[in-house]
Amino acid sequence: MRGFDAQLTLQKLEVFCTVAELQSVTRAAAKLCISQPVVTAHVRHLEQRLGVRLIKRDGRGIALTEAGARVLKWAQGVITRTRELERELAGALPEGPGRATVAASMSAGSYLLPPVVCDFHDRYPEGRVQVTISTPQAALEAVRAGGADFAVVMILPEQNMEGLVVQRLWNEPLLLVSAPASRWIGGIAQRDDLQKAPFISSYSTVMQQLEEGQVRANGIAPRRIVMELGHPEAQKAAVRRDIGVCFFLASSVQREIDQGELRQVMMPEMPMSIPLYLVRRKDKELSPFQQALYQHIETARPSGVQPFAANPP
């Protein structure tokens, strides 16, 4: 192996990662807006400097060699941590334009965070905030790897939070929702009604387990789930069709309830809620801009949520 040198640039690593992701030199060239020969030259240069083959032919496409898979993992880590450092340095001065990336679980990123981030932008118009929306597991992994500066997520009680600082942020009501004239349930539900009705749920493991935890805590037997959909908007469409009833975080469905498109099923004896958390890496050094955003989210009170003291989950 010839070893590492100054010619192993970030650009070459990014080109290689794109080729590996798309499993095609042609598609990588199109995505990066450079010619195929340039893409090939970058990959070949990496192979020459490292002294190993990184890719091989696989039918009509390409695949990583064993060495290529190891280099990909390393290259992704280098790129992620470099971007993290760039964001930190971009906001190194309080008066300078800053950058921050916030990872969020689906409902938080789609409904709660946008107005909070917009309010922050009014105070820091020169800065740049990116909100990435994914599963809670992926959001936490992004925080650990440096792909996000912090996250707003739901957390399972047994989830491994080693190396992370966790602050309980908001408590959001969990609402049972049906079609306005549902054949399955009335406007007020008792425990027996929930055990008989078909349910639509999220395919997110975390969200589904948190829902089940609330159901069990209220003495309800396991639900009859007939459909799993990945986003609240898709779940709303199924509820409108009266496929079944569904639990929603209040922020994701309040507008449709207010407009009469969907109906909140009242559960007077079974109040339910889900806590959300603000999470960052213990060794993470926030720039002044990132720290300002962190504190802004920490003190924000979006409509419908309840504050919590800073306690671990």
Side-chain angles (χ1 to χ4, degrees):
M1 184 171 178
R2 299 185 182 180
F4 298 88
D5 62 27
Q7 296 183 48
L8 292 181
T9 63
L10 195 65
Q11 181 188 21
K12 288 181 172 60
L13 298 182
E14 289 179 322
V15 169
F16 168 64
C17 288
T18 305
V19 170
E21 174 193 353
L22 301 177
Q23 297 183 320
S24 167
V25 170
T26 303
R27 290 196 293 270
K31 181 175 181 178
L32 296 169
C33 299
I34 56 180
S35 68
Q36 292 183 43
V38 171
V39 171
T40 300
H42 279 310
V43 175
R44 292 287 176 260
H45 183 269
L46 275 178
E47 291 180 326
Q48 291 168 6
R49 305 314 297 183
L50 297 174
V52 293
R53 286 191 63 195
L54 301 176
I55 60 175
K56 60 184 178 182
R57 287 288 173 188
D58 184 23
R60 295 186 178 181
I62 61 172
L64 293 177
T65 63
E66 183 178 347
R70 293 182 179 183
V71 172
L72 175 63
K73 184 176 181 180
W74 165 78
Q76 289 172 331
V78 170
I79 292 169
T80 299
R81 297 308 291 267
T82 301
R83 297 301 180 221
E84 180 182 30
L85 178 62
E86 288 174 348
R87 293 194 303 271
E88 292 173 1
L89 294 179
L93 298 176
E95 66 273 13
R99 292 173 57 190
T101 295
V102 185
S105 48
M106 197 70 68
S107 289
S110 298
Y111 305 103
L112 283 177
L113 277 181
V116 173
V117 170
C118 288
D119 290 344
F120 181 78
H121 176 76
D122 289 341
R123 295 171 53 191
Y124 298 89
E126 300 301 319
R128 177 178 169 182
V129 178
Q130 180 184 58
V131 177
T132 63
I133 301 173
S134 60
T135 64
Q137 299 97 320
L140 291 177
E141 201 53 45
V143 171
R144 282 195 167 98
D149 301 303
F150 37 86
V152 176
V153 292
M154 300 173 290
I155 297 173
L156 291 173
E158 68 273 16
Q159 201 151 353
N160 177 19
M161 305 304 291
E162 184 178 357
L164 300 174
V165 176
V166 181
Q167 178 172 336
R168 203 165 185 175
L169 190 59
W170 305 313
N171 189 48
E172 188 169 8
L174 188 66
L175 307 182
L176 181 63
V177 175
S178 74
S182 175
R183 55 185 162 153
W184 305 112
I185 202 165
I188 300 177
Q190 305 299 325
R191 287 176 176 81
D192 288 346
D193 299 320
L194 270 63
Q195 292 173 180
K196 296 174 183 176
F199 269 83
I200 298 152
S201 186
S202 169
Y203 68 61
S204 164
T205 303
V206 172
M207 185 61 187
Q208 196 170 119
Q209 288 187 33
L210 288 172
E211 288 177 5
E212 290 297 336
Q214 293 286 313
V215 167
R216 288 194 302 270
N218 282 278
I220 303 166
R223 299 172 293 163
R224 180 165 66 93
I225 296 175
V226 298
M227 188 176 294
E228 297 177 343
L229 298 168
H231 194 281
E233 295 302 318
Q235 295 164 24
K236 292 177 197 177
V239 172
R240 289 189 187 98
R241 289 280 301 273
D242 203 22
I243 302 298
V245 299
C246 184
F247 284 119
F248 288 94
L249 291 175
S251 63
S252 66
V253 76
Q254 194 62 58
R255 182 182 65 83
E256 287 81 0
I257 291 173
D258 292 343
Q259 294 178 357
E261 298 175 21
L262 295 171
R263 177 181 65 184
Q264 179 183 353
V265 179
M266 306 306 295
M267 302 186 298
E269 298 180 1
M270 298 172 283
M272 298 186 185
S273 62
I274 299 289
L276 292 170
Y277 299 87
L278 186 59
V279 182
R280 61 178 173 84
R281 211 172 60 241
K282 282 184 179 179
D283 63 352
K284 171 70 177 176
E285 294 187 13
L286 298 175
S287 71
F289 179 81
Q290 293 167 354
Q291 184 65 43
L293 176 59
Y294 186 92
Q295 292 174 346
H296 178 78
I297 294 173
E298 184 180 28
T299 57
R301 292 292 174 259
S303 177
V305 302
Q306 299 172 352
F308 266 108
N311 297 320

